[in-house]
Amino acid sequence: WDAGAMNWNDKIGFRSVKKKESTVRVVCRFRPLLPDEAGGGKSFVVRPEVNTVESKDKQLTFRLDKVFGSDSTQAQVYQDVGRPILNDVLNGYNGTVFAYGQTGSGKTHTMFGSNLFNPEAQGIIPRAAHQIFDHIAAGADDVEFVLRCSLLEIHREQLRDLLNPTNTGLKIKEAPQKGVYVEGITQEFVVCAADIMEIVRVGERMRAVASTKLNMHSSRSHVIFMLACEQKLADGTEKLGKLHLVDLAGSEKVHKSGSMGPTLEEAKKINW
């Protein structure tokens, strides 16, 4: 294939395809209404078939890269959102998924799942663990993989190592060879999906949560799951891809959540 032989229209089309593959995508997922919300009716009309969301009065229409309705499954979300990102990481690129939204909107459900050990209920993080080790098992025997995981919590603008809570004084730094990184954070080597599940389970137990009027188990911090995937190929070359899966704390309106005292201070940092 000779790029120089392409005409200008072909080159523009090729660049458009490459840009589409590497660009930021915005995906929206709607959860089912809770019993106490059903009386007010739906505020939006969700149209997954055309990836649009309309306001109830039809005055506003939002077109997104992908829209998931309230009947979407964890597997469907992972297939469209998680799997392509992890494929990029396995090819030596970096990939990130942010879960952003109001408290109680289903971010933690999407990222972690309601049950880490129930295949149907698993979110993006445990499914990514299974995908990467399925890839290793199906791949060539002469490729050596080295996988390292970290779990970082940002609570009231303070960094916390969830795999070693006594590890204080973490700092975000940047270096030409490493890029942006957290100095001193624990990195656990993993050799199977169960190792990652245990890391996630420990991190969930350590994470800061509180009860508000909007969410009985409201996450009061941002959590970042980090996985570095290093591959040593038979020809002596190496590939390094980094995966970041981020479950952000939910934004909230204080007069609705009823936050007071420490939870009010957390809300200020979350919404800032």
Side-chain angles (χ1 to χ4, degrees):
W1 178 75
D2 182 7
M6 298 173 66
N7 62 40
W8 280 109
N9 289 333
D10 290 337
K11 289 182 178 179
I12 291 172
F14 176 73
R15 288 171 182 167
S16 297
V17 170
K18 296 301 290 182
K19 182 178 181 181
K20 184 177 180 180
E21 290 176 351
S22 61
T23 191
V24 174
R25 299 177 67 222
V26 180
V27 176
C28 184
R29 186 185 192 185
F30 285 79
R31 63 160 172 75
L33 293 177
L34 299 176
D36 59 342
E37 298 170 333
K42 296 182 178 180
S43 300
F44 297 95
V45 178
V46 183
R47 303 188 187 279
E49 67 280 3
V50 291
N51 294 320
T52 61
V53 178
E54 296 178 353
S55 59
K56 191 174 181 179
D57 59 8
K58 298 186 181 297
Q59 296 298 307
L60 297 172
T61 299
F62 304 95
R63 184 175 298 277
L64 300 105
D65 293 296
K66 185 69 176 179
V67 173
F68 292 99
S70 58
D71 59 346
S72 62
T73 65
Q74 298 283 64
Q76 289 171 336
V77 173
Y78 186 76
Q79 184 65 28
D80 192 85
V81 177
R83 187 173 295 278
I85 294 289
L86 192 54
N87 286 340
D88 286 343
V89 172
L90 290 168
N91 284 322
Y93 299 97
N94 297 337
T96 300
V97 178
F98 283 94
Y100 170 82
Q102 182 176 319
T103 182
S105 60
K107 299 179 299 301
T108 300
H109 174 75
T110 296
M111 297 303 291
F112 290 89
S114 56
N115 187 332
L116 289 176
F117 303 99
N118 181 338
E120 293 186 0
Q122 289 174 341
I124 288 176
I125 294 175
R127 289 175 186 272
H130 288 296
Q131 182 187 343
I132 195 167
F133 283 103
D134 287 347
H135 174 87
I136 293 173
D141 293 334
D142 56 0
V143 179
E144 178 185 347
F145 283 82
V146 178
L147 304 176
R148 292 167 286 129
C149 288
S150 300
L151 206 57
L152 174 69
E153 179 183 53
I154 304 175
H155 182 234
R156 295 178 66 171
E157 299 186 3
Q158 299 297 312
L159 305 182
R160 186 181 179 213
D161 186 344
L162 288 180
L163 301 184
N164 181 10
T166 61
N167 184 12
T168 59
L170 299 179
K171 295 181 180 179
I172 297 176
K173 294 197 172 184
E174 185 174 7
Q177 298 298 323
K178 297 179 66 174
V180 177
Y181 67 100
V182 180
E183 185 180 54
I185 193 167
T186 300
Q187 292 185 313
E188 292 283 353
F189 289 93
V190 294
V191 297
C192 61
D195 287 347
I196 296 181
M197 296 298 210
E198 179 61 19
I199 286 173
V200 173
R201 188 188 67 82
V202 170
E204 277 194 313
R205 191 173 67 240
M206 298 298 299
R207 186 177 187 180
V209 297
S211 176
T212 70
K213 290 181 180 179
L214 295 177
N215 190 350
M216 287 294 293
H217 302 283
S218 175
S219 300
R220 312 308 292 173
S221 62
H222 310 304
V223 167
I224 306 173
F225 171 83
M226 297 176 280
L227 183 145
C229 176
E230 183 180 352
Q231 301 175 57
K232 298 179 181 179
L233 309 182
D235 60 3
T237 60
E238 296 184 1
K239 290 193 292 188
L240 174 63
K242 295 181 180 179
L243 176 68
H244 295 84
L245 301 176
V246 186
D247 181 19
L248 295 172
S251 59
E252 63 184 56
K253 294 183 178 179
V254 174
H255 73 278
K256 289 187 176 181
S257 67
S259 296
M260 297 182 293
T263 57
L264 176 59
E265 294 305 313
E266 290 168 339
K268 292 177 182 178
K269 299 296 184 183
I270 292 169
N271 294 332
W272 183 73

